[in-house]
Amino acid sequence: RNEDGSNAVRHGTKLFADTSGYLDAIIACEYFSGSIICVGKNGKLVRIDSNGNIYEIWSDDWAANLVGAPAGWATGLTFASFAAFSGSLIVVNGINKPLIIDSNIQCQYLNDPSNGSNANVPITKYVQTHGRYLIMAGDPTAVDRIHISSTDTSGVWVGDDAPNDAVTLDLGSRVPSGESTIKGLGSFRDQLLIFFADSVLPGKLGVF
């Protein structure tokens, strides 16, 4: 309604792209390198270009074409998160190994660039870029742990070959109240923020 009580024009939306040919339900989206990246509940990823055209970029078939013919992501996903790092997009879901999408929208498992292995890449629910580091949390095997990548890399983690200054930190003992399960990550100015149910822990990276 307008202030005088008359009907006002309500600006709506129009269909831009229908992903139902690839995804059963969209659980997360992110804009990256001129495309909208969508993650499906069925474990597939698509990109949508500026004209609304849809292209599959990740599925069991796409994964099978990689070296070693790995399996794709699981079905029944409910959550995914993203972080842009050094010109690439990292995607995590808390169940499977993370993916990395380059500026040409080529998708593969995040791995150590020196040997192509992702054996030490953590499985996490949350991912955040902060300064020269990629941070992951929401590890189902260590709910209070943050994983901090080696400086200026996204694929080198604790256990990978040198040079490697990656670390992990268990923060449960530093939570002043409530449960110690990490609920999210954030970045503000020079502070990394780690969110818990009842508190937020700030920290500066580079001094562990």
PDB file of all heavy atoms in Angstrom, residues 8 14 50 64 66 68 80-81 162 173 207:
ATOM      1  N   ALA A   8       0.168  -0.093  -4.411  1.00  0.00           N
ATOM      2  CA  ALA A   8       1.492   0.213  -4.949  1.00  0.00           C
ATOM      3  C   ALA A   8       1.961  -0.944  -5.817  1.00  0.00           C
ATOM      4  O   ALA A   8       1.506  -2.080  -5.668  1.00  0.00           O
ATOM      5  CB  ALA A   8       2.484   0.451  -3.810  1.00  0.00           C
ATOM      6  N   LYS A  14      11.738 -12.785 -11.690  1.00  0.00           N
ATOM      7  CA  LYS A  14      11.410 -13.687 -12.790  1.00  0.00           C
ATOM      8  C   LYS A  14      12.385 -14.858 -12.778  1.00  0.00           C
ATOM      9  O   LYS A  14      13.491 -14.753 -12.224  1.00  0.00           O
ATOM     10  CB  LYS A  14      11.472 -12.959 -14.129  1.00  0.00           C
ATOM     11  CG  LYS A  14      12.858 -12.480 -14.539  1.00  0.00           C
ATOM     12  CD  LYS A  14      12.802 -11.815 -15.912  1.00  0.00           C
ATOM     13  CE  LYS A  14      14.199 -11.376 -16.363  1.00  0.00           C
ATOM     14  NZ  LYS A  14      14.176 -10.762 -17.709  1.00  0.00           N
ATOM     15  N   SER A  50      25.774 -15.776 -17.119  1.00  0.00           N
ATOM     16  CA  SER A  50      25.012 -14.526 -17.070  1.00  0.00           C
ATOM     17  C   SER A  50      23.746 -14.565 -17.915  1.00  0.00           C
ATOM     18  O   SER A  50      22.873 -13.709 -17.754  1.00  0.00           O
ATOM     19  CB  SER A  50      25.898 -13.363 -17.527  1.00  0.00           C
ATOM     20  OG  SER A  50      26.379 -13.599 -18.845  1.00  0.00           O
ATOM     21  N   ALA A  64      34.883 -39.372 -11.500  1.00  0.00           N
ATOM     22  CA  ALA A  64      35.476 -40.597 -12.035  1.00  0.00           C
ATOM     23  C   ALA A  64      36.500 -40.318 -13.129  1.00  0.00           C
ATOM     24  O   ALA A  64      37.382 -41.140 -13.383  1.00  0.00           O
ATOM     25  CB  ALA A  64      34.387 -41.517 -12.565  1.00  0.00           C
ATOM     26  N   LEU A  66      38.731 -37.995 -12.961  1.00  0.00           N
ATOM     27  CA  LEU A  66      39.966 -37.506 -12.363  1.00  0.00           C
ATOM     28  C   LEU A  66      40.963 -38.645 -12.195  1.00  0.00           C
ATOM     29  O   LEU A  66      40.612 -39.824 -12.266  1.00  0.00           O
ATOM     30  CB  LEU A  66      39.670 -36.867 -11.001  1.00  0.00           C
ATOM     31  CG  LEU A  66      38.754 -35.646 -10.989  1.00  0.00           C
ATOM     32  CD1 LEU A  66      38.470 -35.217  -9.554  1.00  0.00           C
ATOM     33  CD2 LEU A  66      39.368 -34.492 -11.779  1.00  0.00           C
ATOM     34  N   GLY A  68      42.904 -41.442 -10.667  1.00  0.00           N
ATOM     35  CA  GLY A  68      42.520 -42.350  -9.606  1.00  0.00           C
ATOM     36  C   GLY A  68      41.048 -42.684  -9.570  1.00  0.00           C
ATOM     37  O   GLY A  68      40.616 -43.515  -8.767  1.00  0.00           O
ATOM     38  N   ALA A  80      26.378 -26.591   2.743  1.00  0.00           N
ATOM     39  CA  ALA A  80      27.665 -26.382   2.076  1.00  0.00           C
ATOM     40  C   ALA A  80      28.086 -24.952   2.327  1.00  0.00           C
ATOM     41  O   ALA A  80      27.245 -24.058   2.506  1.00  0.00           O
ATOM     42  CB  ALA A  80      27.561 -26.654   0.576  1.00  0.00           C
ATOM     43  N   SER A  81      29.384 -24.717   2.355  1.00  0.00           N
ATOM     44  CA  SER A  81      29.892 -23.355   2.505  1.00  0.00           C
ATOM     45  C   SER A  81      31.076 -23.145   1.576  1.00  0.00           C
ATOM     46  O   SER A  81      31.683 -24.101   1.093  1.00  0.00           O
ATOM     47  CB  SER A  81      30.260 -23.048   3.961  1.00  0.00           C
ATOM     48  OG  SER A  81      31.249 -23.930   4.441  1.00  0.00           O
ATOM     49  N   ALA A 162      57.099 -30.850   3.417  1.00  0.00           N
ATOM     50  CA  ALA A 162      57.647 -29.499   3.550  1.00  0.00           C
ATOM     51  C   ALA A 162      57.837 -28.889   2.150  1.00  0.00           C
ATOM     52  O   ALA A 162      58.006 -29.624   1.168  1.00  0.00           O
ATOM     53  CB  ALA A 162      58.973 -29.560   4.291  1.00  0.00           C
ATOM     54  N   SER A 173      39.027 -26.039  25.352  1.00  0.00           N
ATOM     55  CA  SER A 173      39.409 -25.592  26.695  1.00  0.00           C
ATOM     56  C   SER A 173      39.362 -24.077  26.838  1.00  0.00           C
ATOM     57  O   SER A 173      39.416 -23.558  27.956  1.00  0.00           O
ATOM     58  CB  SER A 173      40.814 -26.098  27.032  1.00  0.00           C
ATOM     59  OG  SER A 173      41.772 -25.543  26.141  1.00  0.00           O
ATOM     60  N   VAL A 207      50.423 -15.869  14.891  1.00  0.00           N
ATOM     61  CA  VAL A 207      50.929 -16.115  16.240  1.00  0.00           C
ATOM     62  C   VAL A 207      50.041 -17.200  16.825  1.00  0.00           C
ATOM     63  O   VAL A 207      48.945 -16.942  17.286  1.00  0.00           O
ATOM     64  CB  VAL A 207      50.866 -14.840  17.113  1.00  0.00           C
ATOM     65  CG1 VAL A 207      51.412 -15.137  18.512  1.00  0.00           C
ATOM     66  CG2 VAL A 207      51.636 -13.704  16.460  1.00  0.00           C
TER      67      VAL A 207
END
